[in-house]
């Protein structure tokens, strides 16, 4: 039997297969083997039973499996179809870092940390002195 994700399969179809496989595996792990019939229109909380922490794990696994970097808004996705839209529009790999992120900028004196602060009040007073604006 041929794998559903072959080289001749369109990218979107391969992505759907991977998305549903990752989701099914996560449900299998977190719900003690109880796997429902999961579709693109299954509600992640109501139908599948994913809480916010499990959704965060799902997003991490999807980013790794599909080599994409999903936006923060992906946490609020209610269905796998919404996740699919975000995945198909996300092109950056999580391992890619922009030049701006790599550039080193030393902290200025006004941005130094309040090393001698012992209490929260000391930190707030330092902040008012260091950043009066």
């Amino acid at each position: 039997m041929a794998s559903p994700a072959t080289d001749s399969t369109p990218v979107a179809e391969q992505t759907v297969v991977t998305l549903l496989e990752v989701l099914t595996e996560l449900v299998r792990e977190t719900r003690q083997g109880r796997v429902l019939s999961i579709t693109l229109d299954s509600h992640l909380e109501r139908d599948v039973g994913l809480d916010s922490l499990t959704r965060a794990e799902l997003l991490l696994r999807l980013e790794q499996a599909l080599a994409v970097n999903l936006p923060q808004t992906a946490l609020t996705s209610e269905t796998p179809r919404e996740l699919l839209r975000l995945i198909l529009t996300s092109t950056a790999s999580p391992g890619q870092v922009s030049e701006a992120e790599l550039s080193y900028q030393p902290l200025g004196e006004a941005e130094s940390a309040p090393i001698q602060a012992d209490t929260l009040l000391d930190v707030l007073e330092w902040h008012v002195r260091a950043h009066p604006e």
Side-chain angles (χ1 to χ4, degrees):
M1 183 174 175
S3 171
T6 62
D7 290 338
S8 61
T9 307
V11 173
E13 189 175 326
Q14 291 178 6
T15 303
V16 170
V17 170
T18 303
L19 168 63
L20 293 177
E21 285 175 349
V22 169
L23 179 56
T24 301
E25 182 60 28
L26 181 62
V27 170
R28 183 176 290 120
E29 290 174 16
T30 60
R31 306 206 21 114
Q32 292 81 33
R34 182 175 159 241
V35 179
L36 314 167
S37 175
I38 300 172
T39 68
L40 286 177
D41 295 314
S42 297
H43 193 277
L44 292 174
E45 184 176 356
R46 186 179 54 241
D47 300 333
V48 183
L50 299 187
D51 59 16
S52 58
L53 184 59
T54 310
R55 281 187 199 199
E57 175 66 22
L58 173 63
L59 297 182
L60 289 173
R61 291 182 184 196
L62 288 172
E63 286 182 335
Q64 291 173 348
L66 297 168
V68 296
N69 190 11
L70 295 171
Q72 290 276 350
T73 57
L75 278 171
T76 61
S77 297
E78 294 184 351
T79 65
R81 187 175 305 279
E82 291 177 17
L83 287 172
L84 178 63
R85 283 189 195 107
L86 291 172
I87 290 166
L88 293 175
T89 59
S90 299
T91 57
S93 170
Q96 293 176 342
V97 181
S98 69
E99 284 296 317
E101 293 172 309
L102 290 175
S103 65
Y104 172 73
Q105 296 177 1
L107 296 175
E109 188 172 319
E111 297 175 26
S112 63
I115 298 170
Q116 301 300 324
D118 293 324
T119 65
L120 177 60
L121 187 56
D122 292 341
V123 172
L124 293 173
E125 288 174 349
W126 168 87
H127 188 68
V128 168
R129 285 191 308 275
H131 304 284
E133 66 282 352

mmCIF file of all heavy atoms in Angstrom, residues 7 12-13 29 51 58 64 77 83 89 92 108 112 116 123:
data_model
loop_
_atom_site.group_PDB
_atom_site.id
_atom_site.type_symbol
_atom_site.label_atom_id
_atom_site.label_comp_id
_atom_site.label_asym_id
_atom_site.label_seq_id
_atom_site.Cartn_x
_atom_site.Cartn_y
_atom_site.Cartn_z
ATOM 1 N N ASP A 7 5.663 11.891 -3.540
ATOM 2 C CA ASP A 7 6.186 13.075 -4.208
ATOM 3 C C ASP A 7 5.200 13.673 -5.196
ATOM 4 O O ASP A 7 5.244 14.856 -5.478
ATOM 5 C CB ASP A 7 7.500 12.739 -4.918
ATOM 6 C CG ASP A 7 8.614 12.494 -3.925
ATOM 7 O OD1 ASP A 7 8.500 12.972 -2.788
ATOM 8 O OD2 ASP A 7 9.589 11.818 -4.294
ATOM 9 N N ALA A 12 -0.350 20.795 -0.364
ATOM 10 C CA ALA A 12 -1.458 21.002 0.574
ATOM 11 C C ALA A 12 -1.989 19.670 1.078
ATOM 12 O O ALA A 12 -2.289 19.517 2.254
ATOM 13 C CB ALA A 12 -2.565 21.817 -0.076
ATOM 14 N N GLU A 13 -2.079 18.676 0.209
ATOM 15 C CA GLU A 13 -2.584 17.368 0.618
ATOM 16 C C GLU A 13 -1.609 16.688 1.565
ATOM 17 O O GLU A 13 -2.008 16.076 2.552
ATOM 18 C CB GLU A 13 -2.845 16.491 -0.603
ATOM 19 C CG GLU A 13 -3.568 15.208 -0.260
ATOM 20 C CD GLU A 13 -3.938 14.410 -1.492
ATOM 21 O OE1 GLU A 13 -4.239 15.020 -2.531
ATOM 22 O OE2 GLU A 13 -3.902 13.179 -1.398
ATOM 23 N N GLU A 29 -1.645 9.911 22.696
ATOM 24 C CA GLU A 29 -0.754 10.003 23.853
ATOM 25 C C GLU A 29 -1.433 10.618 25.070
ATOM 26 O O GLU A 29 -1.208 10.184 26.194
ATOM 27 C CB GLU A 29 0.472 10.834 23.511
ATOM 28 C CG GLU A 29 1.418 10.187 22.544
ATOM 29 C CD GLU A 29 2.544 11.120 22.131
ATOM 30 O OE1 GLU A 29 2.764 12.149 22.797
ATOM 31 O OE2 GLU A 29 3.202 10.821 21.125
ATOM 32 N N ASP A 51 -6.871 20.872 25.667
ATOM 33 C CA ASP A 51 -6.824 22.085 26.467
ATOM 34 C C ASP A 51 -5.716 22.990 25.915
ATOM 35 O O ASP A 51 -5.037 22.639 24.953
ATOM 36 C CB ASP A 51 -6.609 21.760 27.943
ATOM 37 C CG ASP A 51 -5.316 20.988 28.212
ATOM 38 O OD1 ASP A 51 -4.441 20.958 27.324
ATOM 39 O OD2 ASP A 51 -5.188 20.421 29.296
ATOM 40 N N LEU A 58 0.771 20.715 20.509
ATOM 41 C CA LEU A 58 0.412 20.428 19.116
ATOM 42 C C LEU A 58 1.125 21.384 18.170
ATOM 43 O O LEU A 58 1.684 20.968 17.156
ATOM 44 C CB LEU A 58 -1.106 20.525 18.925
ATOM 45 C CG LEU A 58 -1.614 20.417 17.481
ATOM 46 C CD1 LEU A 58 -1.285 19.054 16.889
ATOM 47 C CD2 LEU A 58 -3.107 20.690 17.432
ATOM 48 N N GLN A 64 7.706 21.459 14.045
ATOM 49 C CA GLN A 64 8.822 20.550 13.784
ATOM 50 C C GLN A 64 8.530 19.653 12.588
ATOM 51 O O GLN A 64 9.382 19.473 11.719
ATOM 52 C CB GLN A 64 9.107 19.699 15.015
ATOM 53 C CG GLN A 64 9.681 20.484 16.159
ATOM 54 C CD GLN A 64 9.807 19.655 17.426
ATOM 55 O OE1 GLN A 64 9.278 18.561 17.524
ATOM 56 N NE2 GLN A 64 10.520 20.199 18.409
ATOM 57 N N SER A 77 -6.728 28.884 17.357
ATOM 58 C CA SER A 77 -7.404 28.150 16.285
ATOM 59 C C SER A 77 -8.360 27.140 16.901
ATOM 60 O O SER A 77 -8.023 26.446 17.853
ATOM 61 C CB SER A 77 -6.392 27.422 15.406
ATOM 62 O OG SER A 77 -5.549 28.340 14.774
ATOM 63 N N LEU A 83 -5.835 25.758 11.503
ATOM 64 C CA LEU A 83 -4.396 25.535 11.599
ATOM 65 C C LEU A 83 -3.785 25.326 10.222
ATOM 66 O O LEU A 83 -2.700 25.826 9.940
ATOM 67 C CB LEU A 83 -4.102 24.323 12.490
ATOM 68 C CG LEU A 83 -4.308 24.514 13.980
ATOM 69 C CD1 LEU A 83 -4.162 23.191 14.716
ATOM 70 C CD2 LEU A 83 -3.333 25.541 14.521
ATOM 71 N N THR A 89 0.198 29.408 4.994
ATOM 72 C CA THR A 89 0.656 30.786 4.800
ATOM 73 C C THR A 89 1.964 31.072 5.532
ATOM 74 O O THR A 89 2.545 32.124 5.350
ATOM 75 C CB THR A 89 -0.417 31.802 5.252
ATOM 76 O OG1 THR A 89 -0.722 31.583 6.623
ATOM 77 C CG2 THR A 89 -1.669 31.673 4.415
ATOM 78 N N ALA A 92 8.355 30.463 6.846
ATOM 79 C CA ALA A 92 9.655 30.479 7.516
ATOM 80 C C ALA A 92 9.831 29.247 8.380
ATOM 81 O O ALA A 92 8.933 28.836 9.086
ATOM 82 C CB ALA A 92 9.782 31.733 8.381
ATOM 83 N N GLY A 108 22.705 50.036 26.686
ATOM 84 C CA GLY A 108 23.208 51.334 27.092
ATOM 85 C C GLY A 108 23.122 51.469 28.601
ATOM 86 O O GLY A 108 22.531 50.638 29.288
ATOM 87 N N SER A 112 20.682 49.362 31.652
ATOM 88 C CA SER A 112 21.301 48.347 32.487
ATOM 89 C C SER A 112 20.293 47.843 33.523
ATOM 90 O O SER A 112 19.291 48.483 33.803
ATOM 91 C CB SER A 112 22.540 48.908 33.174
ATOM 92 O OG SER A 112 22.157 49.967 34.032
ATOM 93 N N GLN A 116 21.513 46.019 42.156
ATOM 94 C CA GLN A 116 21.527 46.205 43.606
ATOM 95 C C GLN A 116 20.133 46.228 44.230
ATOM 96 O O GLN A 116 20.007 46.335 45.436
ATOM 97 C CB GLN A 116 22.255 47.517 43.956
ATOM 98 C CG GLN A 116 23.690 47.580 43.469
ATOM 99 C CD GLN A 116 24.545 46.472 44.068
ATOM 100 O OE1 GLN A 116 24.376 46.094 45.202
ATOM 101 N NE2 GLN A 116 25.464 45.946 43.273
ATOM 102 N N VAL A 123 13.317 48.163 42.547
ATOM 103 C CA VAL A 123 13.311 48.032 41.087
ATOM 104 C C VAL A 123 12.488 49.143 40.464
ATOM 105 O O VAL A 123 12.903 49.755 39.471
ATOM 106 C CB VAL A 123 12.764 46.643 40.665
ATOM 107 C CG1 VAL A 123 12.570 46.574 39.161
ATOM 108 C CG2 VAL A 123 13.679 45.536 41.150
#
